Amino acid sequence: MIQRYPAGSRYSVKNDWLESNLSFSFGEYYDEENIHFGPLRVFNDDTVQAGKGFGIHPHREAEIVSIVLRGQLKHEDSLGNSGILQFGNVQRMSAGTGLLHSEMNPSPDEEASFLQLWFKSSQKQLPPSYEDISYNVDSMRNKLLPIVSAAPTNGAAKIHSDVTLYLSKLDAGEEIFYQQEQGRKMYVFVIDGELVLNNDVVVGQRDSARITELTELTLKSTKETFFLLIDLGGA
């Protein structure tokens, strides 16, 4: 089954420095029917104004992934990690037993856009850890590039959750076939462009699709399309 969620169905939060579109219950938004999809617990599409951001704050028992789409994101945490990320960079944090971190837009004049995802950890009481990786943007052209995985290969970041995240940029009219084991789930988010899933369901810009009870998925672009595919295990 493929369930499409239009971009406009997301809960939006906007103030003088942040615009955030929430795909699952988070903060002031709570819907008991929309808590998670498998181990995926949070999917926030954030735009942060220049010089602003999320100041130091704590997390526990979550696997957190940030994918920068535009601009810069400056990370600092209580483990001593610090760095500036941009398009082509992905960060993964295991909050585990607890850590403090901040995510700021260091630019004086350019806004930053990024996706922040939280996953349920497959292990409790892990020591907190941090990793950021760079990926070759050209390597996702017309194929799926793994960027985060429980069993990482080719430089992907390691996550303590039964998931694999792929990025892809398809030329107009190109098609990708994906196959997974029985009982797993898939989540598709179109960053830019438009996909047709299994020759039936049209998923446009900033739309998402939650896919269950299928082991095979065909993704075809109607125009140049940049998207994220997540292979999910768990309940």
Side-chain angles (χ1 to χ4, degrees), residues 146-157:
I147 55 168
V148 179
S149 178
T153 57
N154 301 322

Side-chain angles (χ1 to χ4, degrees), residues 114-186:
F114 69 102
L115 304 177
Q116 184 175 110
L117 294 74
W118 295 10
F119 297 91
K120 298 176 185 177
S121 178
S122 56
Q123 304 174 58
K124 296 292 186 182
Q125 297 293 296
L126 287 169
S129 61
Y130 172 85
E131 180 182 12
D132 62 59
I133 60 112
S134 299
Y135 62 89
N136 185 340
V137 173
D138 293 334
S139 295
M140 62 178 173
R141 176 68 66 177
N142 295 322
K143 62 182 180 180
L144 293 169
L145 175 68
I147 55 168
V148 179
S149 178
T153 57
N154 301 322
K158 178 175 175 58
I159 192 169
H160 303 97
S161 187
D162 185 12
V163 300
T164 300
L165 284 70
Y166 301 90
L167 285 176
S168 181
K169 187 168 281 190
L170 292 183
D171 293 330
E174 289 293 324
E175 185 175 280
I176 284 178
F177 176 75
Y178 188 75
Q179 188 168 17
Q180 65 174 188
E181 296 175 2
Q182 190 76 35
R184 298 181 66 82
K185 299 176 174 67
M186 288 175 269

Side-chain angles (χ1 to χ4, degrees), residues 3 5 22-26 29-43 118-121 161 163 185-187 210-212 232-235:
Q3 284 187 287
Y5 290 77
L22 316 178
S23 294
F24 297 91
S25 295
F26 184 85
Y29 165 54
Y30 179 77
D31 178 354
E32 64 180 9
E33 301 297 323
N34 191 31
I35 301 294
H36 67 96
F37 183 64
L40 178 57
R41 174 64 188 82
V42 168
F43 195 113
W118 295 10
F119 297 91
K120 298 176 185 177
S121 178
S161 187
V163 300
K185 299 176 174 67
M186 288 175 269
Y187 188 91
R210 303 181 195 184
I211 301 156
T212 58
L232 301 135

Side-chain angles (χ1 to χ4, degrees), residues 173-231:
E174 289 293 324
E175 185 175 280
I176 284 178
F177 176 75
Y178 188 75
Q179 188 168 17
Q180 65 174 188
E181 296 175 2
Q182 190 76 35
R184 298 181 66 82
K185 299 176 174 67
M186 288 175 269
Y187 188 91
V188 174
F189 180 77
V190 175
I191 299 165
D192 290 301
E194 184 180 78
L195 292 173
V196 180
L197 306 181
N198 284 0
N199 299 309
D200 181 39
V201 180
V202 177
V203 184
Q205 183 167 314
R206 261 34 187 206
D207 293 350
S208 63
R210 303 181 195 184
I211 301 156
T212 58
E213 301 170 11
L214 295 177
T215 58
E216 298 179 346
L217 183 69
T218 300
L219 307 98
K220 185 172 184 177
S221 59
T222 62
K223 61 183 79 171
E224 184 174 74
T225 300
F226 182 29
F227 70 93
L228 172 68
L229 169 67
I230 310 174
D231 184 324

Side-chain angles (χ1 to χ4, degrees), residues 35-102:
I35 301 294
H36 67 96
F37 183 64
L40 178 57
R41 174 64 188 82
V42 168
F43 195 113
N44 294 351
D45 182 3
D46 292 340
T47 300
V48 177
Q49 295 303 306
K52 304 293 184 179
F54 303 92
I56 197 79
H57 60 283
H59 286 296
R60 296 177 65 89
E61 301 296 358
E63 298 287 306
I64 302 172
V65 174
S66 297
I67 303 171
V68 181
L69 303 179
R70 186 178 71 254
Q72 297 180 327
L73 193 65
K74 182 178 181 181
H75 170 87
E76 293 183 319
D77 64 41
S78 54
L79 302 176
N81 298 298
S82 178
I84 295 178
L85 303 150
Q86 55 193 356
F87 181 62
N89 297 138
V90 176
Q91 69 168 222
R92 184 275 309 163
M93 285 189 300
S94 295
T97 54
L99 87 165
L100 302 169
H101 78 114
S102 65

